[in-house]
Amino acid sequence: MKHLVWMTAILLLSRAAFAQEKLPVILPYNPQNIRELYLDTNNHHTAFKPILHVDTSAMYTRPDTTRRSWIHRKLFDEHLLEFRNKEYNVFIDFLPDFQIGKSRDGSRTNWLNTRGAIIQANVGTKFYFESSFYENQGKFPLYLDQYIRKNDIVPGQGGIKDYSEGKAFDFNYANALLSYTPNKYLNFTLGYGQNFIGDGYRSLILSDIQFSYPYLKITGNLGSVQYTAMWTQFMDKHSKSFNTAYKDLGFLKKWGVFHFLDWNVNKRLTIGLFDAVIWPDADSTGRKRGFDWSYMNPIIFLRPAEFSQGSSDNALVGANIKYKLLPKTTVYGQLVLDEFKLKEVFGGKGWWANKQSYQLGFRSFDLFKVKNLDLQGEGNVVRPYTYSYSTTYINYEHYNQSLAHPQGANFWEVLGIATYRYKRWYGRGELVYSKYGDDPDAKSNFGHDISKPYTTHPREYGNWIGQGVKTSLLYAQGTIAYVLNPKYNLRLEASLAARRVKNDIESKNDLIFSFGLRSTFRQFYYDF
């Protein structure tokens, strides 16, 4: 916070420099404008997000802004505070998210009161800095309320405190990013936030559905090849009081290292290879391990390194593929191998440790030649026990949420998302249908809950997707919004969502309406 105050003070003293030549603005692509990369005739690296780019259009506002009042310009066209000159750009915004709505039969009132702030700055064309903070109170629809109380976290937004006599929640979270690009070949990023690997709505490799975490990322570009190495620190919230020698230090931490090699084979095809290792900061007895420097080499293939240590660290490998089928249609897919034995995979007996996941999808832009009418379709399949481990100390999880898909494992899913933009109007429709195998009680483990140890699997063979309590999920949502200010996505938004979960034990139905004044490009995932 002190850095924010310091930078703001310096910039306020520099207003005399505003008349100087302006510098191009460095900004991250957001979910709405990343479509530009898919529509470009050149093949871009689109899988590892966030992606920074130089945006000259962000330097300018409407030609007639000088004729408008200050209030009009700040509400509809500009950042709250803007500082631009030939040496740096700085943007500061207040980010509200005020919502109110009804769910189920209309007897439950839901609401959200978020006050946020963000500062974005670039110094020259090599440094980019971003920091944001959000203070929140909210009451959620019943299914989210139950999820929050069970997992002690608001999805993607951190831990909770009771509010309004336990009827609502108080929570806050922050993100930060510092990027340095010394030349066109290298980028160094130090952050506290989320990352995403893939071209889909979901990612089976690394998603952005969870709470923020610290990371260091190094990206190299050479010709058509992009290589990224990232080191992270995650938190195991299941380890509240597992050992008296360690409990005063808070929750158990765990480390992660990720490698992603992305190759633009030609103007249509991109192939990406991925590997990762998760290891604990300390074991269940409190014995400290800390950061394992054997994983610091950014160019090694991790599985041999993990094996050579004689460790039981959690290793995964995978692939991400993208192919431009038509000028405005791209197909993509993912494969993740958590465990793999060729004999067992092709044996067809459903060995419990055949832990794999698959994705296949497409993106189509300007559908039926209607500008800004986009459609995305996707299917995801995850076998039982994928992403789980013998302990939560090193499973593929952070802050009680999966690092991949919000459903965990033991499911298949199909989804479709249509969006349309016309001037400042924005519409979005989403439909998700999935089937998964739930556990009939807390002691059972049929492979859906990745926080349960896979050592408790009930049988060696005959493990198939949907085993356990066969459950279907149908989620549909329609959203319409009027964007007041595109600079930080301030909008008036109305949304209607329907959710049905059904199995042989029970059937739950929710109908959720909400209306509010919202801002920022954050994306939360409540469609599970």
Side-chain angles (χ1 to χ4, degrees):
M1 198 65 178
K2 64 181 181 180
H3 299 294
L4 174 62
V5 174
W6 173 83
M7 184 172 288
T8 303
I10 294 294
L11 295 170
L12 289 173
L13 294 174
S14 306
R15 301 194 67 169
F18 290 169
Q20 299 178 16
E21 181 183 355
K22 295 178 181 178
L23 180 78
V25 179
I26 298 176
L27 291 172
Y29 279 106
N30 61 62
Q32 293 182 17
N33 65 19
I34 200 171
R35 69 194 301 272
E36 300 171 9
L37 296 180
Y38 292 94
L39 289 172
D40 199 317
T41 54
N42 294 318
N43 199 357
H44 295 275
H45 298 287
T46 56
F48 213 130
K49 307 173 183 72
I51 305 171
L52 298 179
H53 72 300
V54 175
D55 186 1
T56 55
S57 66
M59 296 170 54
Y60 307 107
T61 54
R62 292 169 46 163
D64 62 344
T65 52
T66 55
R67 304 175 187 174
R68 306 282 185 171
S69 67
W70 183 90
I71 294 177
H72 185 280
R73 288 187 287 115
K74 296 304 175 183
L75 183 60
F76 294 106
D77 293 303
E78 298 179 358
H79 296 279
L80 179 62
L81 296 175
E82 297 186 357
F83 308 99
R84 310 168 184 263
N85 62 32
K86 67 179 183 180
E87 297 177 354
Y88 57 76
N89 294 289
V90 178
F91 309 118
I92 302 175
D93 291 300
F94 170 66
L95 303 177
D97 195 347
F98 305 137
Q99 298 182 57
I100 190 167
K102 290 281 188 178
S103 62
R104 300 198 71 175
D105 58 0
S107 61
R108 182 181 179 89
T109 299
N110 310 305
W111 52 270
L112 181 66
N113 178 8
T114 294
R115 292 87 59 210
I118 186 171
I119 177 171
Q120 297 172 291
N122 65 281
V123 181
T125 56
K126 296 183 178 180
F127 285 97
Y128 173 77
F129 167 79
E130 178 182 306
S131 181
S132 60
F133 176 81
Y134 302 89
E135 174 66 30
N136 319 266
Q137 292 83 39
K139 182 179 179 181
F140 294 86
L142 183 60
Y143 82 98
L144 282 176
D145 184 274
Q146 293 172 341
Y147 178 92
I148 293 167
R149 295 182 189 278
K150 177 184 177 182
N151 296 281
D152 198 32
I153 182 176
V154 179
Q157 300 163 78
I160 58 171
K161 296 183 292 183
D162 281 342
Y163 181 78
S164 185
E165 299 180 346
K167 298 177 182 179
F169 304 104
D170 189 336
F171 55 102
N172 58 70
Y173 57 98
N175 294 314
L177 186 152
L178 176 62
S179 173
Y180 173 55
T181 308
N183 53 54
K184 66 180 181 179
Y185 302 107
L186 281 175
N187 174 265
F188 300 89
T189 298
L190 183 65
Y192 182 74
Q194 301 88 12
N195 294 270
F196 187 99
I197 299 178
D199 293 280
Y201 174 67
R202 311 286 199 192
S203 175
L204 305 180
I205 294 177
L206 179 64
S207 186
D208 57 354
I209 63 173
Q210 65 289 125
F211 185 49
S212 302
Y213 51 84
Y215 63 90
L216 170 64
K217 183 165 58 178
I218 301 175
T219 302
N221 292 279
L222 187 61
S224 60
V225 175
Q226 182 181 84
Y227 184 80
T228 303
M230 183 173 71
W231 298 266
T232 63
Q233 187 184 67
F234 301 124
M235 184 179 293
D236 179 19
K237 285 203 71 178
H238 299 284
S239 60
K240 285 188 176 181
S241 57
F242 65 90
N243 185 272
T244 55
Y246 199 77
K247 67 178 183 180
D248 292 337
L249 299 179
F251 299 112
L252 178 69
K253 308 298 191 299
K254 50 186 174 183
W255 300 89
V257 56
F258 301 81
H259 291 167
F260 186 69
L261 175 66
D262 207 38
W263 175 33
N264 287 333
V265 181
N266 51 47
K267 288 188 176 182
R268 291 179 178 268
L269 177 63
T270 299
I271 298 175
L273 300 177
F274 155 85
D275 60 14
V277 170
I278 308 293
W279 74 94
D281 189 60
D283 61 23
S284 58
T285 66
R287 181 173 57 89
K288 185 78 171 178
R289 177 179 175 183
F291 186 85
D292 193 329
W293 291 95
S294 64
Y295 294 133
M296 193 60 194
N297 189 332
I299 60 174
I300 61 174
F301 189 62
L302 290 176
R303 184 62 182 178
E306 180 262 345
F307 181 78
S308 67
Q309 294 296 309
S311 73
S312 58
D313 296 340
N314 187 9
L316 298 89
V317 296
N320 185 84
I321 298 177
K322 177 186 68 175
Y323 184 75
K324 183 173 285 190
L325 187 65
L326 299 170
K328 294 188 177 183
T329 297
T330 296
V331 295
Y332 57 85
Q334 287 187 337
L335 168 66
V336 173
L337 304 178
D338 193 359
E339 298 279 351
F340 185 82
K341 284 188 177 181
L342 191 64
K343 177 183 176 181
E344 297 290 357
V345 169
F346 288 99
K349 297 181 180 180
W351 187 44
W352 74 270
N354 283 341
K355 299 190 292 177
Q356 300 102 35
S357 57
Y358 313 89
Q359 179 185 87
L360 182 64
F362 72 90
R363 289 174 176 260
S364 289
F365 304 97
D366 299 335
L367 199 64
F368 307 123
K369 298 184 179 180
V370 178
K371 186 177 180 181
N372 293 324
L373 175 60
D374 303 336
L375 178 65
Q376 183 173 11
E378 186 174 297
N380 297 290
V381 178
V382 182
R383 281 189 49 80
Y385 308 106
T386 306
Y387 308 116
S388 65
Y389 212 70
S390 58
T391 170
T392 57
Y393 305 153
I394 53 174
N395 71 335
Y396 209 62
E397 188 181 45
H398 165 62
Y399 226 83
N400 289 2
Q401 282 193 281
S402 168
L403 289 172
H405 197 288
Q407 286 270 31
N410 190 18
F411 72 90
W412 62 261
E413 169 194 63
V414 291
L415 64 88
I417 300 173
T419 61
Y420 179 60
R421 285 184 295 163
Y422 177 73
K423 295 183 178 179
R424 297 204 177 196
W425 288 97
Y426 173 76
R428 182 182 186 274
E430 177 185 359
L431 183 64
V432 178
Y433 182 75
S434 71
K435 285 197 172 184
Y436 61 92
D438 208 351
D439 296 326
D441 52 63
K443 294 183 178 180
S444 301
N445 183 12
F446 286 96
H448 179 60
D449 186 351
I450 69 171
S451 65
K452 293 183 177 181
Y454 59 48
T455 52
T456 59
H457 61 274
R459 53 181 177 261
E460 290 293 306
Y461 293 93
N463 295 279
W464 311 107
I465 294 173
Q467 66 182 16
V469 180
K470 297 184 185 301
T471 306
S472 65
L473 166 67
L474 178 64
Y475 183 92
Q477 183 180 35
T479 302
I480 187 169
Y482 181 78
V483 180
L484 299 171
N485 193 323
K487 297 294 185 182
Y488 53 101
N489 202 20
L490 179 67
R491 62 201 185 275
L492 291 170
E493 180 180 291
S495 175
L496 180 64
R499 179 180 181 271
R500 186 189 70 189
V501 176
K502 186 177 181 181
N503 55 39
D504 292 337
I505 300 175
E506 60 182 352
S507 179
K508 297 179 181 179
N509 295 279
D510 286 292
L511 187 64
I512 306 158
F513 172 77
S514 65
F515 177 79
L517 175 68
R518 312 191 65 191
S519 62
T520 82
F521 296 97
R522 296 170 300 156
Q523 183 163 284
F524 300 132
Y525 300 85
Y526 298 151
D527 49 358
F528 59 87

